[in-house]
Amino acid sequence: MASLTAILPKSSIFKIAIDGPAASGKSTTARHVAHRLGFTYIDSGAMYRAITLKALRRNIQFESPSEMPHIINLANTSKIHFATTTPIGGSGNDNTPQTIVYLDDEDVSADIRTMNVSRNVSFVAALPEVRKAMLAKQRRYANSTDIDGVVMDGRDIGTAVLPDAQVKIFLTAITNVRAMRRYEQLKKKEKELVVYEEILRDIEKRDKADLERKVSPLRKAIDAVVLDTTTLSLSEIVGKIIEMTNNMKSDAVQLSGINSSLNESTIQTQI
Ligand SMILES: Nc1ncnc2c1ncn2[C@@H]1O[C@H](COP(=O)(O)OP(=O)(O)O)[C@@H](O)[C@H]1O
Ligand SMILES: Nc1ccn([C@@H]2O[C@H](COP(=O)(O)OP(=O)(O)O)[C@@H](O)[C@H]2O)c(=O)n1
C-alpha cells in the first residue's frame, strides 16, 4: 500500500487523538494502535509526569506561589523524548509495545509512574505556562515529517493539542474498574507498596482536578467517538480504532482521486 504521506499533504500527517480519565486504557490502546499502523505513539501524560518528577527531585514545594516560576522553568528547559520497544512475540500474555520515556536523556519510565508523582501531577498540569510549554513540544512531535502518522493520548488531545486529528476517541470506564486495573498494573511492577483504596482516591481526585481546571480541562471533543472499556476488551477497542482509521484513510484516497480528476478536467477546460 502506498505511504499515506504520499497521498496526503505533509501538513496532514494522519493523527489519532485518544483522551479520557485516568486508567481508562488510553496508553495501552494507543500503543497497540500505533504498533499495528506503524505510527508514532506520544504519551502526553508522561510529559507532565516527567516535569512533576523533576520538581519533586528538586524538592520544589508544590502550591507555594513563589515556587511556580521554578516549575515553569523546568517545563520550558527540560528535554523529553520517547522510544518504543517492539516485543518479539511478547513476554507471557503481554505483547504490548513498551514506551521508554527520557527526561534529559535519563530513562524515567518507571520513576514517573510512582504514587508520589501521580498525587502531584494534576497540580503541575493545571499551570497554564506548563501547558503552553508541553503543547509546543506535543505539536512539534506530531508534525515531525518522517512519520506516516501519530497516536497521542492524554486529556486535551482532541480538543486542544490536535484539534485537526482525523480520528478522535474518548475512552471511559467506571471508576472502580479503572482503579482496580491500575492497582493490578502497579502491583506487577513492584516499584512500591500499592493500596487499592489509595489508588481509587488518587484517581477520583485527579479526575476532578483534570475536569475542573481552567486551561484545557478533560473534555470529550464534539467529534470524538466514546468507547467504554468497562465492557469492551482491549482487542475490541483496538480493532474499532483501526477500522475507523482505515475508513478515514480510504475516504482520503477516494478524495484524492476525485481531486486529481477534477484537476485534470480543469486543465482540459483551460486548454
Ligand atoms: N479495554 C480494556 N479492558 C481491560 N483492561 C484494559 C483495557 N484497556 C487497558 N486495560 C488495562 O488497564 C490498565 C490501565 O491502562 P492504561 O493504558 O495504563 O490506562 P491510561 O493510559 O488511560 O491511564 C492496564 O493494565 C491495561 O492493560
Ligand atoms: N494531555 C494531558 C495528559 C495528561 N495530563 C495530566 O497528567 C496527568 C497524568 O496523565 P497520565 O495520562 O499519565 O495519567 P493516567 O491516565 O495514566 O493515570 C493527568 O492526571 C493530567 O493531570 C494533562 O493534563 N493533559
Side-chain angles (χ1 to χ4, degrees), residues 21-29 153 181-182 185 229 232-234 237:
S24 53
K26 301 177 297 297
S27 64
T28 314
T29 304
D153 78 315
R181 287 180 189 161
R182 179 53 42 87
Q185 194 183 26
T229 75
L232 291 170
S233 71
L234 179 62
I237 300 268

Side-chain angles (χ1 to χ4, degrees), residues 37-262:
L37 294 169
F39 286 7
T40 295
Y41 166 55
I42 298 160
D43 180 347
S44 72
M47 299 169 70
Y48 292 98
R49 286 176 178 271
I51 300 303
T52 308
L53 174 69
K54 196 161 170 178
L56 284 168
R57 284 176 172 179
R58 295 189 177 194
N59 290 321
I60 288 178
Q61 298 303 304
F62 292 95
E63 302 184 41
S64 154
S66 65
E67 299 275 35
M68 287 202 203
H70 297 307
I71 305 177
I72 294 160
N73 185 45
L74 295 183
N76 282 314
T77 55
S78 299
K79 184 178 155 198
I80 303 168
H81 70 281
F82 301 95
T84 301
T85 56
T86 311
I88 307 160
S91 66
N93 291 328
D94 190 4
N95 62 352
T96 307
Q98 297 305 308
T99 307
I100 305 169
V101 184
Y102 293 94
L103 170 65
D104 302 324
D105 296 321
E106 175 196 347
D107 178 353
V108 292
S109 316
D111 289 358
I112 60 169
R113 305 283 163 205
T114 62
M115 284 304 290
N116 201 19
V117 171
S118 293
R119 271 192 293 270
N120 291 290
V121 62
S122 289
F123 171 77
V124 172
L127 299 174
E129 293 87 348
V130 171
R131 297 206 74 80
K132 199 172 154 199
M134 293 304 112
L135 179 77
K137 288 186 206 291
Q138 289 152 2
R139 290 221 176 119
R140 233 183 356 258
Y141 292 138
N143 290 312
S144 3
T145 47
D146 58 342
I147 50 171
D148 262 1
V150 71
V151 186
M152 196 183 294
D153 78 315
R155 301 296 187 286
D156 61 338
I157 310 306
T159 52
V161 182
L162 306 176
D164 58 336
Q166 291 90 334
V167 171
K168 294 185 188 178
I169 305 294
F170 193 86
L171 284 188
T172 61
I174 59 169
T175 315
N176 292 358
V177 167
R178 290 190 280 124
M180 186 49 77
R181 287 180 189 161
R182 179 53 42 87
Y183 171 72
E184 297 292 346
Q185 194 183 26
L186 289 174
K187 213 169 60 170
K188 265 190 240 159
K189 289 186 179 153
E190 292 171 4
K191 180 90 186 157
E192 60 188 332
L193 182 73
V194 286
V195 180
Y196 170 78
E197 284 72 22
E198 202 188 325
I199 289 172
L200 178 64
R201 264 200 310 277
D202 168 65
I203 282 182
E204 286 172 340
K205 211 172 147 205
R206 222 147 36 89
D207 284 353
K208 187 172 179 326
D210 293 343
L211 281 162
E212 291 180 355
R213 70 169 172 244
K214 290 211 173 65
V215 186
S216 297
L218 168 63
R219 288 275 181 283
K220 180 191 108 49
I222 336 168
D223 47 350
V225 172
V226 178
L227 296 176
D228 190 335
T229 75
T230 314
T231 47
L232 291 170
S233 71
L234 179 62
S235 62
E236 284 172 305
I237 300 268
V238 171
K240 277 179 190 287
I241 299 174
I242 302 274
E243 193 188 328
M244 285 168 67
T245 304
N246 287 337
N247 289 342
M248 289 298 290
K249 280 184 184 181
S250 58
D251 285 355
V253 172
Q254 276 174 18
L255 202 66
S256 101
I258 293 168
N259 281 344
S260 59
S261 55
L262 273 178

Side-chain angles (χ1 to χ4, degrees), residues 6-26:
I7 299 159
L8 297 170
K10 273 278 182 254
S11 59
S12 316
I13 284 168
F14 202 95
K15 293 168 188 156
I16 302 177
I18 303 182
D19 290 301
S24 53
K26 301 177 297 297

